[in-house]
Amino acid sequence: MGCCTGRCSLICLCALQLLSALERQIFDFLGFQWAPILGNFLHIIVVILGLFGTIQYRPRYIVVYTVWTALWVTWNVFIICFYLEVGGLSKDTDLMTFNISVHRSWWREHGPGCVRRVLPPSAHGMMDDYTYVSVTGCFVDFQYLEVIHSAVQILLSDNPSRVMCQSPDG
């Protein structure tokens, strides 16, 4: 049995999804993005379930994984719309933190090439306000990095049933 079967392809796809979701989870934790943290956590669990179902020949687990994949793609399309401010959404709201903190994407201040400077607070400002942080020189704005992360998740969420049903010849 060669490694060009649908089963082997799905195992490789699940492994890549797992690595990508773990990487994304780390950066969402760094930015205290609670909604994406919860979504990533569920995704990691379902991908492990799909991986187990593929290895152990459990079709019900693969069906759960397939249904979740559709929801995962929908979530990532929402993330893309959120950061590109499509349809009245604003990346400056506290939606991703469930309105419990003022944290934003970790990439906002730590993106590639970004120079972070803390400005002195004004006399009537709050000490923990994000207006005191100046970020300049970023190669890519943070919202585009978040969009790239979501686009990678969508690309890795290839239709699992299509992968499983392909013939060994290709």
Side-chain angles (χ1 to χ4, degrees), residues 3-67:
C3 198
C4 292
T5 65
R7 183 171 172 251
C8 185
S9 298
L10 189 57
I11 290 170
C12 291
L13 188 66
C14 284
L16 285 173
Q17 281 183 337
L18 198 56
L19 288 174
S20 178
L22 288 170
E23 179 266 340
R24 187 175 181 183
Q25 183 79 321
I26 290 168
F27 289 110
D28 286 340
F29 262 118
L30 289 172
F32 300 103
Q33 300 286 303
W34 300 115
I37 288 169
L38 181 61
N40 291 332
F41 178 72
L42 292 173
H43 182 63
I44 290 167
I45 288 174
V46 174
V47 168
I48 291 171
L49 187 70
L51 195 56
F52 178 75
T54 304
I55 292 170
Q56 295 292 321
Y57 297 104
R58 308 279 179 146
R60 289 184 184 159
Y61 293 168
I62 296 172
V63 169
V64 169
Y65 171 71
T66 303
V67 170

Coordinates of all heavy atoms in Angstrom, one line a residue, residues 3-67:
C3 N 1.7 5.4 -0.2 CA 1.3 6.6 0.6 C 0.5 7.6 -0.2 O 0.4 8.7 0.2 CB 2.5 7.2 1.3 SG 2.0 8.2 2.7
C4 N 0.0 7.2 -1.4 CA -0.8 8.1 -2.2 C -2.3 7.8 -2.0 O -3.1 8.3 -2.7 CB -0.4 8.0 -3.6 SG 1.2 8.6 -4.0
T5 N -2.7 7.0 -1.0 CA -4.1 6.7 -0.7 C -4.7 7.9 -0.1 O -4.1 8.8 0.5 CB -4.2 5.5 0.2 OG1 -3.7 5.8 1.4 CG2 -3.5 4.3 -0.5
G6 N -6.1 7.9 -0.1 CA -6.8 8.9 0.5 C -6.6 8.9 2.0 O -6.6 10.0 2.7
R7 N -6.4 7.8 2.6 CA -6.2 7.7 4.0 C -4.9 8.3 4.5 O -4.9 9.1 5.4 CB -6.2 6.2 4.4 CG -6.1 5.9 5.9 CD -6.3 4.4 6.2 NE -6.0 4.2 7.5 CZ -4.9 3.5 7.9 NH1 -4.1 3.0 7.1 NH2 -4.7 3.3 9.2
C8 N -3.9 8.0 3.7 CA -2.6 8.6 4.0 C -2.6 10.2 3.8 O -2.0 10.9 4.6 CB -1.5 8.0 3.2 SG 0.2 8.5 3.6
S9 N -3.3 10.6 2.7 CA -3.4 12.0 2.5 C -4.1 12.7 3.6 O -3.8 13.8 4.0 CB -4.2 12.2 1.2 OG -3.5 11.7 0.1
L10 N -5.2 12.1 4.1 CA -5.9 12.7 5.2 C -5.1 12.8 6.5 O -5.2 13.7 7.2 CB -7.3 12.0 5.5 CG -8.2 12.6 6.5 CD1 -8.6 14.0 6.0 CD2 -9.5 11.8 6.6
I11 N -4.3 11.7 6.7 CA -3.4 11.8 7.9 C -2.4 12.9 7.8 O -2.2 13.7 8.7 CB -2.7 10.4 8.1 CG1 -3.7 9.3 8.5 CG2 -1.5 10.5 9.0 CD1 -3.1 7.9 8.5
C12 N -1.8 13.1 6.6 CA -0.9 14.2 6.4 C -1.6 15.6 6.5 O -1.1 16.5 7.1 CB -0.2 14.1 5.0 SG 0.9 12.7 4.9
L13 N -2.8 15.6 6.0 CA -3.6 16.9 6.1 C -3.9 17.2 7.5 O -3.8 18.4 8.0 CB -4.9 16.7 5.2 CG -5.7 18.0 5.1 CD1 -5.0 19.0 4.2 CD2 -7.0 17.6 4.4
C14 N -4.3 16.2 8.3 CA -4.6 16.4 9.7 C -3.4 16.9 10.5 O -3.4 17.7 11.3 CB -5.2 15.2 10.3 SG -6.9 14.8 9.9
A15 N -2.2 16.2 10.2 CA -1.0 16.6 10.8 C -0.6 18.1 10.5 O -0.2 18.8 11.4 CB 0.1 15.7 10.4
L16 N -0.8 18.5 9.3 CA -0.5 19.9 8.9 C -1.5 20.8 9.6 O -1.1 21.9 10.1 CB -0.5 20.1 7.4 CG 0.6 19.5 6.6 CD1 0.4 19.6 5.1 CD2 1.9 20.3 7.0
Q17 N -2.7 20.5 9.7 CA -3.7 21.3 10.3 C -3.4 21.4 11.8 O -3.6 22.5 12.4 CB -5.1 20.7 10.2 CG -5.8 21.0 8.8 CD -7.2 20.4 8.8 OE1 -7.6 19.5 9.5 NE2 -8.0 21.0 7.9
L18 N -3.0 20.3 12.4 CA -2.7 20.3 13.8 C -1.5 21.3 14.1 O -1.5 22.1 15.0 CB -2.4 18.9 14.3 CG -2.4 18.6 15.8 CD1 -3.7 19.0 16.4 CD2 -2.1 17.1 16.0
L19 N -0.4 21.2 13.3 CA 0.7 22.1 13.5 C 0.3 23.5 13.3 O 0.7 24.4 14.1 CB 1.8 21.7 12.5 CG 2.6 20.4 12.8 CD1 3.5 20.0 11.7 CD2 3.3 20.5 14.1
S20 N -0.4 23.8 12.3 CA -0.9 25.2 12.0 C -1.8 25.7 13.1 O -1.6 26.9 13.5 CB -1.6 25.2 10.6 OG -2.0 26.5 10.4
A21 N -2.7 24.9 13.6 CA -3.6 25.3 14.7 C -2.8 25.6 16.0 O -3.1 26.5 16.7 CB -4.7 24.3 14.9
L22 N -1.8 24.7 16.3 CA -1.0 24.9 17.5 C -0.2 26.2 17.4 O -0.1 27.0 18.4 CB -0.1 23.7 17.7 CG -0.7 22.4 18.2 CD1 0.2 21.3 18.1 CD2 -1.3 22.6 19.6
E23 N 0.4 26.5 16.2 CA 1.1 27.7 16.0 C 0.2 28.9 16.2 O 0.5 29.9 16.9 CB 1.7 27.8 14.6 CG 2.5 29.0 14.3 CD 1.7 30.1 13.6 OE1 0.6 29.7 13.0 OE2 2.1 31.2 13.6
R24 N -1.0 28.9 15.6 CA -2.0 30.0 15.7 C -2.4 30.1 17.2 O -2.6 31.2 17.7 CB -3.1 29.7 14.8 CG -4.1 30.8 14.8 CD -5.2 30.5 13.7 NE -6.1 31.5 13.6 CZ -7.2 31.5 12.8 NH1 -7.4 30.4 12.1 NH2 -8.0 32.4 12.7
Q25 N -2.6 29.0 17.9 CA -3.0 29.0 19.3 C -2.0 29.8 20.1 O -2.4 30.6 21.0 CB -3.2 27.6 19.8 CG -3.8 27.5 21.2 CD -5.3 27.8 21.3 OE1 -5.8 28.6 20.6 NE2 -5.9 27.0 22.2
I26 N -0.8 29.6 19.9 CA 0.3 30.2 20.7 C 0.2 31.7 20.5 O 0.2 32.5 21.5 CB 1.7 29.7 20.3 CG1 1.9 28.3 20.7 CG2 2.8 30.6 20.8 CD1 3.1 27.6 20.1
F27 N 0.1 32.2 19.3 CA 0.0 33.7 19.1 C -1.3 34.3 19.6 O -1.3 35.4 20.0 CB 0.3 34.0 17.6 CG 1.7 33.8 17.2 CD1 2.1 32.8 16.4 CD2 2.7 34.6 17.8 CE1 3.4 32.5 16.1 CE2 4.0 34.4 17.4 CZ 4.4 33.4 16.6
D28 N -2.4 33.5 19.5 CA -3.7 34.0 20.1 C -3.6 34.1 21.6 O -4.1 35.0 22.2 CB -4.8 33.1 19.7 CG -5.2 33.4 18.2 OD1 -4.8 34.4 17.6 OD2 -5.8 32.5 17.6
F29 N -2.9 33.2 22.2 CA -2.7 33.2 23.7 C -1.8 34.5 24.0 O -2.1 35.2 25.0 CB -2.0 32.0 24.2 CG -2.9 31.0 24.8 CD1 -3.1 29.7 24.3 CD2 -3.7 31.3 26.0 CE1 -3.9 28.8 24.8 CE2 -4.6 30.4 26.5 CZ -4.7 29.1 25.9
L30 N -0.8 34.7 23.3 CA 0.0 35.9 23.5 C -0.7 37.2 23.4 O -0.4 38.2 24.1 CB 1.2 35.9 22.6 CG 2.3 34.9 22.8 CD1 3.3 34.9 21.7 CD2 3.0 35.0 24.1
G31 N -1.8 37.2 22.6 CA -2.6 38.5 22.4 C -3.9 38.4 23.2 O -4.7 39.4 23.1
F32 N -4.1 37.4 24.0 CA -5.3 37.3 24.9 C -6.6 37.4 24.0 O -7.5 38.0 24.4 CB -5.3 38.3 26.0 CG -4.2 38.3 26.9 CD1 -3.1 39.1 26.8 CD2 -4.1 37.3 27.9 CE1 -2.1 39.1 27.7 CE2 -3.1 37.2 28.8 CZ -2.0 38.1 28.7
Q33 N -6.5 36.7 22.9 CA -7.7 36.7 21.9 C -8.5 35.5 22.3 O -8.4 34.4 21.8 CB -7.2 36.6 20.5 CG -6.3 37.7 20.1 CD -7.1 39.0 19.8 OE1 -8.1 39.0 19.0 NE2 -6.8 40.0 20.5
W34 N -9.5 35.7 23.2 CA -10.2 34.5 23.8 C -11.1 33.8 22.8 O -11.2 32.6 22.9 CB -11.0 35.0 25.0 CG -10.1 35.6 26.1 CD1 -10.0 36.8 26.5 CD2 -9.0 34.9 26.7 NE1 -9.0 37.0 27.4 CE2 -8.4 35.8 27.6 CE3 -8.5 33.6 26.7 CZ2 -7.3 35.5 28.4 CZ3 -7.5 33.2 27.5 CH2 -6.9 34.2 28.4
A35 N -11.8 34.5 21.9 CA -12.6 33.8 20.9 C -11.8 32.9 20.0 O -12.2 31.7 19.8 CB -13.5 34.8 20.1
P36 N -10.7 33.4 19.4 CA -9.9 32.5 18.6 C -9.3 31.4 19.4 O -9.1 30.3 18.9 CB -8.8 33.4 18.0 CG -9.4 34.8 18.0 CD -10.3 34.8 19.2
I37 N -8.9 31.6 20.7 CA -8.3 30.6 21.5 C -9.3 29.5 21.7 O -9.0 28.3 21.6 CB -7.9 31.1 22.9 CG1 -6.7 32.0 22.8 CG2 -7.7 30.0 23.9 CD1 -6.3 32.8 24.0
L38 N -10.6 29.8 22.0 CA -11.6 28.8 22.1 C -11.8 28.0 20.8 O -11.9 26.8 20.8 CB -12.9 29.4 22.6 CG -14.1 28.5 22.8 CD1 -13.8 27.5 23.9 CD2 -15.3 29.3 23.1
G39 N -11.9 28.7 19.7 CA -12.1 28.1 18.4 C -10.9 27.2 18.0 O -11.1 26.1 17.5
N40 N -9.7 27.7 18.3 CA -8.5 26.8 18.0 C -8.5 25.6 18.9 O -8.1 24.5 18.4 CB -7.2 27.6 18.3 CG -7.0 28.7 17.3 OD1 -7.4 28.7 16.1 ND2 -6.3 29.8 17.7
F41 N -8.9 25.7 20.1 CA -8.9 24.6 21.0 C -9.9 23.5 20.5 O -9.5 22.3 20.4 CB -9.3 25.0 22.4 CG -9.4 23.9 23.4 CD1 -8.3 23.3 23.9 CD2 -10.6 23.5 23.9 CE1 -8.4 22.3 24.8 CE2 -10.8 22.5 24.8 CZ -9.6 21.8 25.3
L42 N -11.1 23.9 20.1 CA -12.0 23.0 19.6 C -11.5 22.4 18.3 O -11.7 21.2 18.0 CB -13.4 23.7 19.3 CG -14.1 24.1 20.5 CD1 -15.4 24.9 20.1 CD2 -14.5 22.9 21.4
H43 N -10.8 23.2 17.4 CA -10.3 22.7 16.2 C -9.2 21.6 16.5 O -9.2 20.6 15.8 CB -9.7 23.8 15.4 CG -9.2 23.4 14.0 ND1 -10.0 22.8 13.1 CD2 -7.9 23.5 13.5 CE1 -9.2 22.6 12.0 NE2 -8.0 22.9 12.3
I44 N -8.4 21.9 17.4 CA -7.3 20.9 17.7 C -7.9 19.6 18.2 O -7.5 18.5 17.8 CB -6.3 21.5 18.8 CG1 -5.5 22.6 18.2 CG2 -5.4 20.4 19.4 CD1 -4.8 23.5 19.2
I45 N -8.9 19.7 19.0 CA -9.6 18.4 19.5 C -10.2 17.7 18.4 O -10.1 16.4 18.3 CB -10.6 18.8 20.6 CG1 -9.9 19.2 21.9 CG2 -11.6 17.6 20.9 CD1 -10.8 19.7 23.0
V46 N -10.9 18.4 17.5 CA -11.6 17.7 16.4 C -10.6 17.1 15.4 O -10.8 16.1 14.8 CB -12.7 18.6 15.7 CG1 -13.3 18.0 14.5 CG2 -13.8 19.0 16.7
V47 N -9.5 17.8 15.1 CA -8.5 17.3 14.2 C -7.9 16.0 14.8 O -7.6 15.1 14.1 CB -7.4 18.4 13.9 CG1 -6.2 17.8 13.2 CG2 -8.0 19.5 13.1
I48 N -7.6 16.0 16.1 CA -7.1 14.8 16.7 C -8.1 13.7 16.6 O -7.8 12.5 16.3 CB -6.7 15.1 18.2 CG1 -5.5 16.0 18.3 CG2 -6.5 13.8 18.9 CD1 -5.2 16.5 19.7
L49 N -9.4 14.0 16.8 CA -10.5 13.0 16.6 C -10.5 12.5 15.1 O -10.6 11.3 14.9 CB -11.8 13.7 17.0 CG -13.0 12.8 17.0 CD1 -12.9 11.8 18.2 CD2 -14.3 13.6 17.1
G50 N -10.4 13.4 14.2 CA -10.3 13.0 12.8 C -9.1 12.2 12.5 O -9.2 11.2 11.7
L51 N -8.0 12.5 13.1 CA -6.8 11.7 12.9 C -7.0 10.3 13.5 O -6.6 9.3 12.8 CB -5.6 12.5 13.6 CG -4.2 12.1 13.3 CD1 -3.9 12.1 11.8 CD2 -3.2 13.0 14.0
F52 N -7.5 10.3 14.7 CA -7.8 9.0 15.3 C -8.8 8.2 14.4 O -8.6 7.0 14.2 CB -8.4 9.2 16.7 CG -8.7 7.9 17.4 CD1 -7.8 7.1 17.9 CD2 -10.1 7.5 17.5 CE1 -8.1 5.9 18.5 CE2 -10.4 6.4 18.2 CZ -9.4 5.5 18.7
G53 N -9.8 8.8 13.9 CA -10.8 8.1 13.1 C -10.2 7.6 11.8 O -10.6 6.5 11.3
T54 N -9.3 8.4 11.2 CA -8.6 7.9 10.0 C -7.7 6.7 10.3 O -7.7 5.7 9.5 CB -7.8 9.1 9.4 OG1 -8.7 10.2 9.2 CG2 -7.2 8.7 8.1
I55 N -6.9 6.8 11.3 CA -6.0 5.7 11.6 C -6.8 4.4 12.1 O -6.4 3.3 11.7 CB -5.0 6.2 12.7 CG1 -4.1 7.3 12.2 CG2 -4.2 5.0 13.2 CD1 -3.3 7.9 13.2
Q56 N -7.8 4.6 12.8 CA -8.6 3.4 13.4 C -9.8 3.0 12.5 O -10.5 2.2 13.0 CB -9.0 3.8 14.8 CG -7.9 4.0 15.8 CD -7.2 2.7 16.1 OE1 -7.8 1.6 16.2 NE2 -5.9 2.8 16.2
Y57 N -9.9 3.6 11.4 CA -11.1 3.3 10.5 C -12.4 3.5 11.2 O -13.3 2.7 11.2 CB -11.0 1.9 10.0 CG -9.8 1.6 9.1 CD1 -8.7 0.9 9.6 CD2 -9.7 2.1 7.8 CE1 -7.6 0.6 8.8 CE2 -8.6 1.8 7.0 CZ -7.6 1.1 7.5 OH -6.5 0.9 6.8
R58 N -12.6 4.7 11.8 CA -13.9 5.1 12.5 C -14.6 6.1 11.6 O -14.3 7.3 11.7 CB -13.6 5.6 13.8 CG -12.7 4.8 14.7 CD -13.5 3.7 15.4 NE -12.6 2.9 16.2 CZ -13.0 2.3 17.3 NH1 -14.2 2.5 17.7 NH2 -12.1 1.6 18.0
P59 N -15.5 5.7 10.7 CA -16.2 6.6 9.8 C -17.0 7.7 10.6 O -17.0 8.9 10.1 CB -17.1 5.8 9.0 CG -16.7 4.4 9.2 CD -15.9 4.3 10.5
R60 N -17.5 7.4 11.7 CA -18.3 8.5 12.4 C -17.4 9.6 12.9 O -17.8 10.8 12.8 CB -19.0 7.9 13.7 CG -20.1 7.0 13.3 CD -20.8 6.5 14.5 NE -21.9 5.6 14.1 CZ -22.4 4.7 14.9 NH1 -22.0 4.6 16.2 NH2 -23.3 3.9 14.5
Y61 N -16.2 9.3 13.3 CA -15.2 10.4 13.7 C -14.9 11.2 12.4 O -14.7 12.4 12.6 CB -14.0 9.8 14.3 CG -14.2 9.1 15.6 CD1 -13.2 8.3 16.2 CD2 -15.4 9.3 16.3 CE1 -13.4 7.7 17.4 CE2 -15.6 8.6 17.6 CZ -14.6 7.9 18.1 OH -14.8 7.3 19.3
I62 N -14.7 10.6 11.3 CA -14.4 11.3 10.1 C -15.6 12.2 9.7 O -15.3 13.3 9.2 CB -14.0 10.3 9.0 CG1 -12.7 9.6 9.4 CG2 -13.7 11.1 7.7 CD1 -12.3 8.5 8.5
V63 N -16.8 11.7 9.9 CA -18.0 12.6 9.6 C -18.0 13.8 10.5 O -18.2 14.9 10.0 CB -19.3 11.7 9.7 CG1 -20.5 12.7 9.6 CG2 -19.3 10.7 8.6
V64 N -17.7 13.6 11.8 CA -17.7 14.7 12.7 C -16.6 15.7 12.3 O -16.8 16.9 12.2 CB -17.4 14.2 14.2 CG1 -17.1 15.4 15.1 CG2 -18.6 13.5 14.7
Y65 N -15.4 15.2 11.9 CA -14.3 16.0 11.4 C -14.7 16.8 10.1 O -14.4 18.0 10.0 CB -13.1 15.1 11.1 CG -12.0 15.8 10.4 CD1 -11.2 16.8 11.1 CD2 -11.7 15.5 9.1 CE1 -10.2 17.4 10.4 CE2 -10.6 16.2 8.5 CZ -9.9 17.1 9.1 OH -8.9 17.7 8.5
T66 N -15.4 16.1 9.2 CA -15.9 16.8 8.0 C -16.9 17.9 8.3 O -16.7 19.0 7.7 CB -16.5 15.7 7.0 OG1 -15.6 14.7 6.8 CG2 -16.9 16.4 5.7
V67 N -17.8 17.7 9.2 CA -18.8 18.7 9.5 C -18.1 19.9 10.2 O -18.3 21.1 9.9 CB -19.9 18.1 10.4 CG1 -20.8 19.2 11.0 CG2 -20.7 17.1 9.6

